[in-house]
Amino acid sequence: LQWADAASITVIAQILNSARSSRFLLVGSCRDNEMSDNHPISNMISNVQKLGVNATMIKISPLDKDLVNEMISDTLCLFPRVTRSLADILYHKTKGNPLFLSRLIVSLSRDGLLRFSLSRRRWEWEEEKIQSMKIPDDVAELLTNSIGRLPSDVQDALCTLSCFGASIHLDIVDVLERDLDLQLQNSLEVARKEGFLEKFDRTIQFSHDRVQESAFNMLNSQDRRAKHSGYGFALCIHAMNGCDDSMLFTAVDQINRGDPTVILDHEHSSLVARLNLQAGKKAMGMSDYVSALSLFEHGISFLQECHWQQNYDLSLELFNCSTKCAYAVGDHEKLKCRTDEVLSFGRVFEDKLIVLY
């Protein structure tokens, strides 16, 4: 929930307020170390509590030694007394972090320090080597090292997927393979078998957000921007020709995250500005004024110099829409800035009516 957008938080608050007298349970999770007291989720919880909604905060702590031993015992199908010594070692190395622990077990198996003995018909391990081995200080470094051991094409596929966030629809993968000549599906299947990805119907998602974070951090900032731009322009052709809103939002998001220096000519800058306008209008239609404002502002940023003279209609619509959203979200500084510009460059009185009234 710490990453939830304003529109989603508003919807959650409305559902909770309307369901006060019914048997309704909402379970959410968040990282409190990534949230301040003024975080939108914290404010939302405080507001609904004032209206009589019961909210219980449950702090999830790391696994203790006994739970770590129970987890390893279940994983290896051995009695807890047999796995106790191994569990103690892994507990001290991972501090009971479940993701760290599970990935470390996979790493030990891959390195041959934890292996299945056919002669004894059970798992066995080299305790002294595990005890003395140097492991990363945190789970992010361990995941980066684990990804680095995969074949290069699988690493590239994970990096590509990480540019789209936590998940990607296979329709987008199909477009990237066809238009950019990328070989993704086979590589992503290898990553799935290694436990880095999960697949649900036509959607592929990272098994944990830290996996996505580690894959994304393997790219330097320049490569990230270049990839975002390339993916965005490949998708925008399909977004303009189809009626799939999700494809449009994905294409525009990728372009906006990309390298603005690749858009040099007037035609391309107008196209990107128009796509942001189109996506922003759809976001407004869903009452997501925060996202809509961001899209309109991105559209304005792609307009070239003298845009009021060369692209008057597009400029006027972007500025008017930005003004509406700035008013809706209470961004008075942005509202004044955009209003002043429309009043300065509007050609006729009718064009200034929206910002005046």
Side-chain angles (χ1 to χ4, degrees), residues 44-105:
M44 184 272 288
I45 293 174
S46 176
N47 291 335
V48 297
Q49 284 179 317
K50 291 176 183 177
L51 295 173
V53 176
N54 293 324
T56 303
M57 307 295 289
I58 302 174
K59 187 173 180 62
I60 306 298
S61 58
L63 304 176
D64 59 28
K65 279 187 179 183
D66 290 335
L67 285 175
V68 169
N69 188 36
E70 185 178 338
M71 177 179 172
I72 294 174
S73 171
D74 289 343
T75 302
L76 303 183
C77 299
L78 294 171
F79 290 115
R81 58 181 173 78
V82 178
T83 59
R84 172 64 66 181
S85 59
L86 175 62
D88 288 345
I89 296 172
L90 298 187
Y91 171 78
H92 287 294
K93 289 185 177 294
T94 63
K95 302 297 186 291
N97 183 310
L99 177 62
F100 202 169
L101 178 62
S102 61
R103 295 310 309 179
L104 182 56
I105 291 174

Short mmCIF file of all heavy atoms in Angstrom, two decimals, residues 44-105:
data_model
loop_
_atom_site.label_atom_id
_atom_site.label_comp_id
_atom_site.label_asym_id
_atom_site.label_seq_id
_atom_site.Cartn_x
_atom_site.Cartn_y
_atom_site.Cartn_z
N MET A 44 -5.27 8.36 5.47
CA MET A 44 -6.52 7.69 5.18
C MET A 44 -6.98 6.84 6.36
O MET A 44 -8.15 6.87 6.75
CB MET A 44 -6.37 6.83 3.92
CG MET A 44 -7.65 6.14 3.44
SD MET A 44 -7.94 4.53 4.21
CE MET A 44 -6.66 3.55 3.42
N ILE A 45 -6.05 6.08 6.96
CA ILE A 45 -6.40 5.24 8.11
C ILE A 45 -6.88 6.10 9.27
O ILE A 45 -7.87 5.78 9.94
CB ILE A 45 -5.19 4.38 8.52
CG1 ILE A 45 -4.85 3.36 7.43
CG2 ILE A 45 -5.45 3.68 9.85
CD1 ILE A 45 -3.59 2.58 7.68
N SER A 46 -6.20 7.21 9.50
CA SER A 46 -6.59 8.12 10.58
C SER A 46 -7.99 8.68 10.35
O SER A 46 -8.81 8.75 11.28
CB SER A 46 -5.57 9.25 10.70
OG SER A 46 -5.97 10.19 11.66
N ASN A 47 -8.28 9.03 9.10
CA ASN A 47 -9.59 9.63 8.78
C ASN A 47 -10.73 8.62 8.94
O ASN A 47 -11.79 8.95 9.48
CB ASN A 47 -9.58 10.18 7.35
CG ASN A 47 -8.67 11.40 7.22
OD1 ASN A 47 -8.43 12.11 8.21
ND2 ASN A 47 -8.17 11.66 6.03
N VAL A 48 -10.53 7.38 8.46
CA VAL A 48 -11.62 6.40 8.55
C VAL A 48 -11.83 5.96 9.99
O VAL A 48 -12.95 5.61 10.39
CB VAL A 48 -11.37 5.18 7.63
CG1 VAL A 48 -11.32 5.60 6.17
CG2 VAL A 48 -10.11 4.43 8.03
N GLN A 49 -10.76 5.97 10.80
CA GLN A 49 -10.92 5.65 12.22
C GLN A 49 -11.79 6.69 12.93
O GLN A 49 -12.59 6.35 13.79
CB GLN A 49 -9.55 5.54 12.90
CG GLN A 49 -8.80 4.25 12.60
CD GLN A 49 -7.45 4.19 13.28
OE1 GLN A 49 -6.70 5.17 13.31
NE2 GLN A 49 -7.12 3.04 13.84
N LYS A 50 -11.64 7.94 12.52
CA LYS A 50 -12.45 9.01 13.12
C LYS A 50 -13.92 8.83 12.78
O LYS A 50 -14.79 9.30 13.51
CB LYS A 50 -11.96 10.37 12.63
CG LYS A 50 -10.58 10.76 13.15
CD LYS A 50 -10.11 12.08 12.55
CE LYS A 50 -8.71 12.43 13.04
NZ LYS A 50 -8.20 13.68 12.39
N LEU A 51 -14.19 8.14 11.67
CA LEU A 51 -15.57 7.91 11.25
C LEU A 51 -16.14 6.61 11.82
O LEU A 51 -17.24 6.20 11.46
CB LEU A 51 -15.65 7.88 9.71
CG LEU A 51 -15.32 9.21 9.02
CD1 LEU A 51 -15.27 9.01 7.50
CD2 LEU A 51 -16.36 10.27 9.37
N GLY A 52 -15.36 5.93 12.67
CA GLY A 52 -15.86 4.74 13.34
C GLY A 52 -15.43 3.42 12.72
O GLY A 52 -15.93 2.36 13.13
N VAL A 53 -14.52 3.45 11.76
CA VAL A 53 -14.02 2.22 11.15
C VAL A 53 -12.90 1.65 12.02
O VAL A 53 -11.95 2.36 12.37
CB VAL A 53 -13.49 2.47 9.71
CG1 VAL A 53 -12.89 1.20 9.14
CG2 VAL A 53 -14.62 2.99 8.83
N ASN A 54 -13.03 0.38 12.41
CA ASN A 54 -11.99 -0.25 13.22
C ASN A 54 -10.80 -0.64 12.35
O ASN A 54 -10.96 -1.27 11.31
CB ASN A 54 -12.54 -1.51 13.91
CG ASN A 54 -13.59 -1.19 14.94
OD1 ASN A 54 -13.50 -0.18 15.63
ND2 ASN A 54 -14.61 -2.03 15.05
N ALA A 55 -9.61 -0.24 12.76
CA ALA A 55 -8.39 -0.57 12.03
C ALA A 55 -7.37 -1.16 13.00
O ALA A 55 -7.09 -0.56 14.05
CB ALA A 55 -7.81 0.67 11.35
N THR A 56 -6.87 -2.32 12.68
CA THR A 56 -5.89 -3.00 13.53
C THR A 56 -4.57 -3.09 12.78
O THR A 56 -4.51 -3.59 11.65
CB THR A 56 -6.36 -4.42 13.89
OG1 THR A 56 -7.63 -4.34 14.53
CG2 THR A 56 -5.35 -5.10 14.80
N MET A 57 -3.50 -2.59 13.38
CA MET A 57 -2.17 -2.64 12.78
C MET A 57 -1.41 -3.84 13.36
O MET A 57 -1.27 -3.95 14.58
CB MET A 57 -1.41 -1.35 13.07
CG MET A 57 -2.16 -0.07 12.68
SD MET A 57 -2.43 0.07 10.90
CE MET A 57 -0.76 0.41 10.37
N ILE A 58 -0.96 -4.72 12.50
CA ILE A 58 -0.21 -5.91 12.92
C ILE A 58 1.20 -5.81 12.35
O ILE A 58 1.38 -5.80 11.14
CB ILE A 58 -0.88 -7.20 12.43
CG1 ILE A 58 -2.33 -7.28 12.93
CG2 ILE A 58 -0.09 -8.42 12.87
CD1 ILE A 58 -3.11 -8.45 12.37
N LYS A 59 2.18 -5.70 13.21
CA LYS A 59 3.56 -5.59 12.76
C LYS A 59 4.14 -6.98 12.54
O LYS A 59 4.13 -7.81 13.46
CB LYS A 59 4.40 -4.82 13.78
CG LYS A 59 5.81 -4.51 13.29
CD LYS A 59 6.54 -3.61 14.25
CE LYS A 59 7.95 -3.28 13.77
NZ LYS A 59 7.96 -2.56 12.50
N ILE A 60 4.59 -7.24 11.34
CA ILE A 60 5.17 -8.55 11.01
C ILE A 60 6.68 -8.50 11.28
O ILE A 60 7.41 -7.74 10.63
CB ILE A 60 4.92 -8.91 9.53
CG1 ILE A 60 3.43 -8.82 9.21
CG2 ILE A 60 5.46 -10.29 9.23
CD1 ILE A 60 2.57 -9.78 9.98
N SER A 61 7.12 -9.28 12.22
CA SER A 61 8.55 -9.31 12.56
C SER A 61 9.24 -10.46 11.83
O SER A 61 8.58 -11.37 11.31
CB SER A 61 8.71 -9.47 14.07
OG SER A 61 8.07 -10.65 14.52
N PRO A 62 10.57 -10.45 11.75
CA PRO A 62 11.29 -11.56 11.11
C PRO A 62 11.02 -12.88 11.83
O PRO A 62 10.56 -12.91 12.98
CB PRO A 62 12.76 -11.15 11.25
CG PRO A 62 12.74 -9.67 11.43
CD PRO A 62 11.48 -9.38 12.18
N LEU A 63 11.29 -13.98 11.16
CA LEU A 63 11.11 -15.30 11.75
C LEU A 63 12.11 -15.52 12.88
O LEU A 63 13.27 -15.11 12.78
CB LEU A 63 11.32 -16.38 10.68
CG LEU A 63 10.44 -16.31 9.41
CD1 LEU A 63 10.85 -17.40 8.43
CD2 LEU A 63 8.97 -16.43 9.77
N ASP A 64 11.65 -16.17 13.95
CA ASP A 64 12.59 -16.50 15.02
C ASP A 64 13.28 -17.83 14.69
O ASP A 64 13.00 -18.46 13.67
CB ASP A 64 11.89 -16.56 16.38
CG ASP A 64 10.75 -17.58 16.43
OD1 ASP A 64 10.81 -18.58 15.68
OD2 ASP A 64 9.80 -17.37 17.21
N LYS A 65 14.17 -18.26 15.57
CA LYS A 65 14.96 -19.47 15.30
C LYS A 65 14.07 -20.69 15.10
O LYS A 65 14.32 -21.51 14.20
CB LYS A 65 15.94 -19.73 16.45
CG LYS A 65 17.21 -18.90 16.39
CD LYS A 65 18.17 -19.36 17.47
CE LYS A 65 19.46 -18.57 17.43
NZ LYS A 65 20.44 -19.04 18.43
N ASP A 66 13.06 -20.83 15.94
CA ASP A 66 12.20 -22.01 15.85
C ASP A 66 11.43 -22.04 14.53
O ASP A 66 11.27 -23.11 13.91
CB ASP A 66 11.22 -22.04 17.03
CG ASP A 66 11.92 -22.33 18.34
OD1 ASP A 66 13.00 -22.96 18.31
OD2 ASP A 66 11.40 -21.92 19.40
N LEU A 67 10.95 -20.88 14.09
CA LEU A 67 10.22 -20.83 12.82
C LEU A 67 11.13 -21.08 11.63
O LEU A 67 10.75 -21.73 10.65
CB LEU A 67 9.52 -19.48 12.68
CG LEU A 67 8.27 -19.28 13.55
CD1 LEU A 67 7.74 -17.86 13.40
CD2 LEU A 67 7.20 -20.29 13.17
N VAL A 68 12.36 -20.57 11.71
CA VAL A 68 13.34 -20.85 10.66
C VAL A 68 13.60 -22.35 10.58
O VAL A 68 13.64 -22.94 9.49
CB VAL A 68 14.66 -20.08 10.91
CG1 VAL A 68 15.76 -20.57 9.96
CG2 VAL A 68 14.44 -18.58 10.71
N ASN A 69 13.76 -22.98 11.73
CA ASN A 69 14.00 -24.43 11.75
C ASN A 69 12.80 -25.19 11.21
O ASN A 69 12.94 -26.17 10.46
CB ASN A 69 14.33 -24.88 13.17
CG ASN A 69 14.78 -26.33 13.22
OD1 ASN A 69 15.48 -26.80 12.31
ND2 ASN A 69 14.37 -27.05 14.25
N GLU A 70 11.59 -24.72 11.55
CA GLU A 70 10.38 -25.37 11.06
C GLU A 70 10.28 -25.24 9.53
O GLU A 70 9.91 -26.20 8.84
CB GLU A 70 9.16 -24.74 11.72
CG GLU A 70 7.85 -25.42 11.35
CD GLU A 70 6.67 -24.82 12.07
OE1 GLU A 70 6.88 -24.18 13.14
OE2 GLU A 70 5.54 -24.96 11.57
N MET A 71 10.64 -24.07 9.02
CA MET A 71 10.60 -23.84 7.57
C MET A 71 11.59 -24.75 6.85
O MET A 71 11.27 -25.38 5.84
CB MET A 71 10.93 -22.37 7.30
CG MET A 71 11.00 -21.99 5.82
SD MET A 71 11.35 -20.23 5.61
CE MET A 71 11.60 -20.16 3.83
N ILE A 72 12.81 -24.84 7.38
CA ILE A 72 13.83 -25.68 6.75
C ILE A 72 13.46 -27.16 6.87
O ILE A 72 13.65 -27.94 5.94
CB ILE A 72 15.21 -25.40 7.37
CG1 ILE A 72 15.64 -23.97 7.05
CG2 ILE A 72 16.26 -26.39 6.87
CD1 ILE A 72 16.91 -23.54 7.73
N SER A 73 12.91 -27.54 8.03
CA SER A 73 12.49 -28.92 8.24
C SER A 73 11.42 -29.32 7.22
O SER A 73 11.48 -30.40 6.63
CB SER A 73 11.96 -29.08 9.66
OG SER A 73 11.36 -30.35 9.84
N ASP A 74 10.44 -28.43 7.00
CA ASP A 74 9.38 -28.72 6.03
C ASP A 74 9.93 -28.75 4.61
O ASP A 74 9.53 -29.59 3.79
CB ASP A 74 8.28 -27.65 6.11
CG ASP A 74 7.45 -27.78 7.39
OD1 ASP A 74 7.53 -28.86 8.02
OD2 ASP A 74 6.77 -26.82 7.75
N THR A 75 10.86 -27.85 4.31
CA THR A 75 11.43 -27.79 2.96
C THR A 75 12.23 -29.03 2.62
O THR A 75 12.13 -29.58 1.51
CB THR A 75 12.33 -26.54 2.82
OG1 THR A 75 11.56 -25.37 3.10
CG2 THR A 75 12.92 -26.44 1.41
N LEU A 76 13.02 -29.50 3.58
CA LEU A 76 13.90 -30.65 3.33
C LEU A 76 13.28 -31.99 3.72
O LEU A 76 13.91 -33.04 3.52
CB LEU A 76 15.22 -30.46 4.10
CG LEU A 76 16.00 -29.17 3.80
CD1 LEU A 76 17.31 -29.17 4.58
CD2 LEU A 76 16.27 -29.02 2.31
N CYS A 77 12.05 -31.93 4.27
CA CYS A 77 11.36 -33.16 4.69
C CYS A 77 12.20 -33.97 5.68
O CYS A 77 12.37 -35.19 5.53
CB CYS A 77 10.99 -34.02 3.47
SG CYS A 77 9.88 -33.22 2.32
N LEU A 78 12.74 -33.26 6.67
CA LEU A 78 13.53 -33.89 7.72
C LEU A 78 12.98 -33.48 9.08
O LEU A 78 12.33 -32.45 9.21
CB LEU A 78 15.01 -33.49 7.60
CG LEU A 78 15.76 -33.97 6.36
CD1 LEU A 78 17.13 -33.31 6.27
CD2 LEU A 78 15.91 -35.49 6.38
N PHE A 79 13.29 -34.27 10.10
CA PHE A 79 12.85 -33.94 11.44
C PHE A 79 13.52 -32.65 11.91
O PHE A 79 14.69 -32.39 11.58
CB PHE A 79 13.17 -35.06 12.42
CG PHE A 79 12.35 -36.30 12.22
CD1 PHE A 79 12.94 -37.49 11.81
CD2 PHE A 79 10.97 -36.27 12.43
CE1 PHE A 79 12.18 -38.63 11.62
CE2 PHE A 79 10.20 -37.41 12.24
CZ PHE A 79 10.80 -38.60 11.83
N PRO A 80 12.81 -31.82 12.70
CA PRO A 80 13.39 -30.56 13.18
C PRO A 80 14.70 -30.74 13.95
O PRO A 80 15.60 -29.90 13.86
CB PRO A 80 12.29 -30.00 14.09
CG PRO A 80 11.02 -30.57 13.54
CD PRO A 80 11.39 -31.96 13.07
N ARG A 81 14.84 -31.85 14.69
CA ARG A 81 16.09 -32.06 15.45
C ARG A 81 17.27 -32.28 14.52
O ARG A 81 18.42 -31.96 14.86
CB ARG A 81 15.93 -33.25 16.39
CG ARG A 81 15.57 -34.55 15.72
CD ARG A 81 15.42 -35.70 16.71
NE ARG A 81 14.91 -36.92 16.09
CZ ARG A 81 15.65 -37.75 15.35
NH1 ARG A 81 16.94 -37.48 15.16
NH2 ARG A 81 15.11 -38.84 14.81
N VAL A 82 17.00 -32.77 13.30
CA VAL A 82 18.08 -33.01 12.33
C VAL A 82 18.53 -31.71 11.68
O VAL A 82 19.71 -31.49 11.39
CB VAL A 82 17.61 -34.01 11.24
CG1 VAL A 82 18.71 -34.22 10.19
CG2 VAL A 82 17.21 -35.34 11.88
N THR A 83 17.59 -30.79 11.45
CA THR A 83 17.91 -29.55 10.74
C THR A 83 18.28 -28.40 11.67
O THR A 83 18.58 -27.31 11.21
CB THR A 83 16.71 -29.11 9.88
OG1 THR A 83 15.57 -28.91 10.73
CG2 THR A 83 16.39 -30.15 8.82
N ARG A 84 18.25 -28.65 12.99
CA ARG A 84 18.47 -27.56 13.94
C ARG A 84 19.80 -26.84 13.72
O ARG A 84 19.86 -25.61 13.71
CB ARG A 84 18.41 -28.12 15.37
CG ARG A 84 18.81 -27.15 16.47
CD ARG A 84 17.87 -25.97 16.56
NE ARG A 84 16.54 -26.39 16.99
CZ ARG A 84 15.53 -25.53 17.13
NH1 ARG A 84 15.70 -24.25 16.83
NH2 ARG A 84 14.35 -25.96 17.52
N SER A 85 20.88 -27.58 13.53
CA SER A 85 22.20 -26.94 13.39
C SER A 85 22.26 -26.09 12.12
O SER A 85 22.79 -24.97 12.14
CB SER A 85 23.30 -28.00 13.37
OG SER A 85 23.10 -28.92 12.29
N LEU A 86 21.69 -26.59 11.02
CA LEU A 86 21.66 -25.82 9.78
C LEU A 86 20.79 -24.58 9.95
O LEU A 86 21.14 -23.48 9.50
CB LEU A 86 21.12 -26.68 8.64
CG LEU A 86 20.92 -25.98 7.29
CD1 LEU A 86 22.24 -25.45 6.74
CD2 LEU A 86 20.26 -26.93 6.28
N ALA A 87 19.66 -24.74 10.62
CA ALA A 87 18.74 -23.62 10.84
C ALA A 87 19.41 -22.52 11.66
O ALA A 87 19.22 -21.32 11.38
CB ALA A 87 17.48 -24.11 11.53
N ASP A 88 20.19 -22.89 12.66
CA ASP A 88 20.88 -21.88 13.48
C ASP A 88 21.85 -21.06 12.64
O ASP A 88 21.93 -19.83 12.78
CB ASP A 88 21.62 -22.56 14.63
CG ASP A 88 20.68 -23.09 15.71
OD1 ASP A 88 19.50 -22.68 15.70
OD2 ASP A 88 21.13 -23.91 16.54
N ILE A 89 22.57 -21.73 11.76
CA ILE A 89 23.53 -21.03 10.89
C ILE A 89 22.80 -20.06 9.96
O ILE A 89 23.18 -18.89 9.84
CB ILE A 89 24.35 -22.04 10.06
CG1 ILE A 89 25.21 -22.91 10.98
CG2 ILE A 89 25.22 -21.31 9.04
CD1 ILE A 89 25.91 -24.06 10.25
N LEU A 90 21.74 -20.54 9.32
CA LEU A 90 21.02 -19.70 8.35
C LEU A 90 20.27 -18.57 9.04
O LEU A 90 20.11 -17.49 8.47
CB LEU A 90 20.06 -20.56 7.53
CG LEU A 90 20.71 -21.66 6.67
CD1 LEU A 90 19.67 -22.32 5.78
CD2 LEU A 90 21.84 -21.09 5.83
N TYR A 91 19.83 -18.81 10.27
CA TYR A 91 19.15 -17.75 11.01
C TYR A 91 20.11 -16.59 11.27
O TYR A 91 19.75 -15.41 11.08
CB TYR A 91 18.60 -18.28 12.34
CG TYR A 91 18.07 -17.19 13.24
CD1 TYR A 91 16.81 -16.63 13.01
CD2 TYR A 91 18.83 -16.71 14.31
CE1 TYR A 91 16.33 -15.62 13.83
CE2 TYR A 91 18.36 -15.69 15.13
CZ TYR A 91 17.11 -15.15 14.88
OH TYR A 91 16.64 -14.13 15.68
N HIS A 92 21.32 -16.90 11.72
CA HIS A 92 22.31 -15.86 12.01
C HIS A 92 22.74 -15.12 10.74
O HIS A 92 23.05 -13.93 10.78
CB HIS A 92 23.52 -16.45 12.72
CG HIS A 92 23.25 -16.82 14.14
ND1 HIS A 92 22.96 -15.89 15.13
CD2 HIS A 92 23.19 -18.03 14.76
CE1 HIS A 92 22.76 -16.50 16.27
NE2 HIS A 92 22.89 -17.81 16.09
N LYS A 93 22.72 -15.80 9.60
CA LYS A 93 23.14 -15.15 8.36
C LYS A 93 22.04 -14.30 7.74
O LYS A 93 22.32 -13.33 7.02
CB LYS A 93 23.61 -16.21 7.34
CG LYS A 93 24.94 -16.86 7.72
CD LYS A 93 25.41 -17.80 6.64
CE LYS A 93 26.78 -18.40 6.98
NZ LYS A 93 27.87 -17.38 6.99
N THR A 94 20.79 -14.66 7.99
CA THR A 94 19.67 -13.95 7.34
C THR A 94 18.85 -13.10 8.31
O THR A 94 18.00 -12.34 7.87
CB THR A 94 18.71 -14.95 6.67
OG1 THR A 94 18.14 -15.79 7.68
CG2 THR A 94 19.45 -15.81 5.66
N LYS A 95 19.11 -13.24 9.62
CA LYS A 95 18.34 -12.53 10.66
C LYS A 95 16.85 -12.82 10.56
O LYS A 95 16.01 -12.01 10.94
CB LYS A 95 18.59 -11.02 10.56
CG LYS A 95 20.04 -10.61 10.68
CD LYS A 95 20.59 -10.97 12.04
CE LYS A 95 22.00 -10.44 12.21
NZ LYS A 95 23.00 -11.12 11.37
N GLY A 96 16.50 -13.98 10.00
CA GLY A 96 15.10 -14.40 9.95
C GLY A 96 14.28 -13.78 8.84
O GLY A 96 13.06 -13.92 8.82
N ASN A 97 14.94 -13.11 7.88
CA ASN A 97 14.21 -12.53 6.74
C ASN A 97 13.76 -13.67 5.82
O ASN A 97 14.58 -14.38 5.25
CB ASN A 97 15.14 -11.57 5.98
CG ASN A 97 14.44 -10.88 4.82
OD1 ASN A 97 13.80 -11.52 3.99
ND2 ASN A 97 14.61 -9.57 4.74
N PRO A 98 12.44 -13.86 5.63
CA PRO A 98 11.95 -15.03 4.87
C PRO A 98 12.44 -15.06 3.43
O PRO A 98 12.82 -16.13 2.93
CB PRO A 98 10.42 -14.88 4.93
CG PRO A 98 10.16 -14.04 6.12
CD PRO A 98 11.32 -13.09 6.21
N LEU A 99 12.42 -13.90 2.73
CA LEU A 99 12.88 -13.87 1.34
C LEU A 99 14.37 -14.18 1.28
O LEU A 99 14.82 -14.96 0.43
CB LEU A 99 12.59 -12.51 0.72
CG LEU A 99 13.10 -12.32 -0.71
CD1 LEU A 99 12.43 -13.30 -1.67
CD2 LEU A 99 12.89 -10.88 -1.17
N PHE A 100 15.15 -13.56 2.17
CA PHE A 100 16.59 -13.79 2.22
C PHE A 100 16.86 -15.27 2.46
O PHE A 100 17.71 -15.90 1.80
CB PHE A 100 17.18 -12.95 3.35
CG PHE A 100 18.66 -12.67 3.22
CD1 PHE A 100 19.26 -11.74 4.04
CD2 PHE A 100 19.45 -13.34 2.29
CE1 PHE A 100 20.62 -11.48 3.93
CE2 PHE A 100 20.81 -13.09 2.18
CZ PHE A 100 21.40 -12.15 3.01
N LEU A 101 16.12 -15.86 3.39
CA LEU A 101 16.31 -17.26 3.74
C LEU A 101 16.00 -18.18 2.56
O LEU A 101 16.79 -19.08 2.24
CB LEU A 101 15.42 -17.61 4.94
CG LEU A 101 15.45 -19.06 5.43
CD1 LEU A 101 16.85 -19.44 5.90
CD2 LEU A 101 14.43 -19.25 6.55
N SER A 102 14.87 -17.96 1.90
CA SER A 102 14.48 -18.85 0.79
C SER A 102 15.47 -18.75 -0.37
O SER A 102 15.83 -19.76 -0.98
CB SER A 102 13.07 -18.51 0.32
OG SER A 102 12.99 -17.18 -0.15
N ARG A 103 15.93 -17.52 -0.69
CA ARG A 103 16.89 -17.37 -1.78
C ARG A 103 18.26 -17.94 -1.41
O ARG A 103 18.97 -18.47 -2.26
CB ARG A 103 17.04 -15.90 -2.18
CG ARG A 103 15.80 -15.26 -2.78
CD ARG A 103 15.17 -16.05 -3.89
NE ARG A 103 16.09 -16.44 -4.94
CZ ARG A 103 15.76 -17.15 -6.00
NH1 ARG A 103 14.51 -17.59 -6.13
NH2 ARG A 103 16.64 -17.47 -6.92
N LEU A 104 18.63 -17.86 -0.13
CA LEU A 104 19.91 -18.43 0.31
C LEU A 104 19.89 -19.94 0.20
O LEU A 104 20.88 -20.56 -0.20
CB LEU A 104 20.21 -17.99 1.74
CG LEU A 104 21.54 -18.48 2.32
CD1 LEU A 104 22.71 -18.05 1.45
CD2 LEU A 104 21.73 -17.98 3.75
N ILE A 105 18.76 -20.56 0.53
CA ILE A 105 18.64 -22.02 0.39
C ILE A 105 18.80 -22.43 -1.07
O ILE A 105 19.49 -23.40 -1.39
CB ILE A 105 17.28 -22.49 0.95
CG1 ILE A 105 17.25 -22.32 2.47
CG2 ILE A 105 17.03 -23.96 0.59
CD1 ILE A 105 15.90 -22.62 3.10
#
